[in-house]
Amino acid sequence: MAPARTQMGAVGVSVVFMTDLIAPSPGPRTWDPALSASRAKEYERCPLQYRLHVLDGYREPETRAKALGTVVHAVLEELFGLAPHERTPEAARSRVAPAYEAVVAKTPAIADLFADEEDLQAWLEDARGVIDGYFAIEQPQWIAPAAREQRVTTTTTGGVRLLGFIDRIDAAPDGRLRVVDYKTGKAPGPRYVDEALYQMRFYALVYWRLFDVVPTQLRLMYLKVIDSMFLTPSTEELEFFERDLGDLWAKIEGDGRAGTFRPKTSKLCGWCPHQALCPAFGGTPPDYPGWPGSTAD
């Protein structure tokens, strides 16, 4: 499946397309210090887990839920590469199986998630059901995205490098801009709404610092449950959020240079695959790889 390549044309903006990033091959760590929405929340939940993923390069195991998200995002990206009148539910559903094959070609371990062909076919039908949920939310033939499936980087006024993944940006004829993110899991319960809003503010800040324009609206589409969350950010709100990110990054850098990254236990520890590396569970972390630009061991 050839990736759609939409360039936004901002000077100095690094753009990598999502379809080139499905399960990259393991290799030497070449990480440049940066902060994404997911990694920011991960550090708040557990600094050690942040370190293991970002600095040591440990990966989460492949899961059906993760693979489903990758397949659905690929299908929707390809859908918007079609002429408007061709963006039908049937066209999208027909692309689910080829998208799965493309994902497995990049990450063969995903094929091992299924017991047999019957199990796989049932999962593919579930993925088609998520696609149907998208069509229940909006009609894609009336949408002309300005950009889709991009990985972008920018820097805050305080010098924190931000990394964001933008599923889609819509531009209205009157100049209003909307940032759209597809979600293939459940809509957040009351306890987790703040985390969703955090992600939306992060996207808004990235876009603002890239293009000096605050998006009119951010929308999280929960395709499986046919629901959405909206945020209309203000400049003042994003300025406060930017300062909070600066404070958080200072803590991460402090841990990075000192090599601390202590574990933080919670109910989520039961889902963590890295307990053997966690002192809170009697494990031993690997030798500290160091912080970029630091002499810490």
Side-chain angles (χ1 to χ4, degrees), residues 73-189:
H73 277 74
V75 169
L76 293 178
E77 180 186 4
E78 188 174 356
L79 183 73
F80 280 101
L82 301 175
H85 71 277
E86 296 177 330
R87 300 173 193 165
T88 64
E90 293 75 21
R93 288 174 63 90
S94 71
R95 283 165 168 76
V96 168
Y100 166 77
E101 294 297 337
V103 169
V104 170
K106 289 179 177 287
T107 312
I110 290 176
D112 297 331
L113 297 173
F114 306 98
D116 51 31
E117 182 64 20
E118 183 179 356
D119 188 26
L120 170 60
Q121 292 304 320
W123 181 87
L124 290 174
E125 191 57 31
D126 287 342
R128 295 183 187 101
V130 175
I131 293 293
D132 291 341
Y134 166 73
F135 281 90
I137 294 175
E138 67 178 7
Q139 296 177 313
Q141 63 267 32
W142 301 111
I143 297 171
R148 61 188 190 273
E149 294 295 352
Q150 292 186 344
R151 175 183 185 268
V152 293
T153 62
T154 188
T155 304
T156 69
T157 55
V160 180
R161 182 169 170 260
L162 303 181
L163 169 66
F165 298 85
I166 298 177
D167 289 344
R168 201 180 83 210
I169 297 174
D170 300 335
D174 61 3
R176 289 178 299 160
L177 296 168
R178 177 174 64 182
V179 177
V180 177
D181 191 68
Y182 309 123
K183 298 296 183 185
T184 54
K186 298 178 180 178

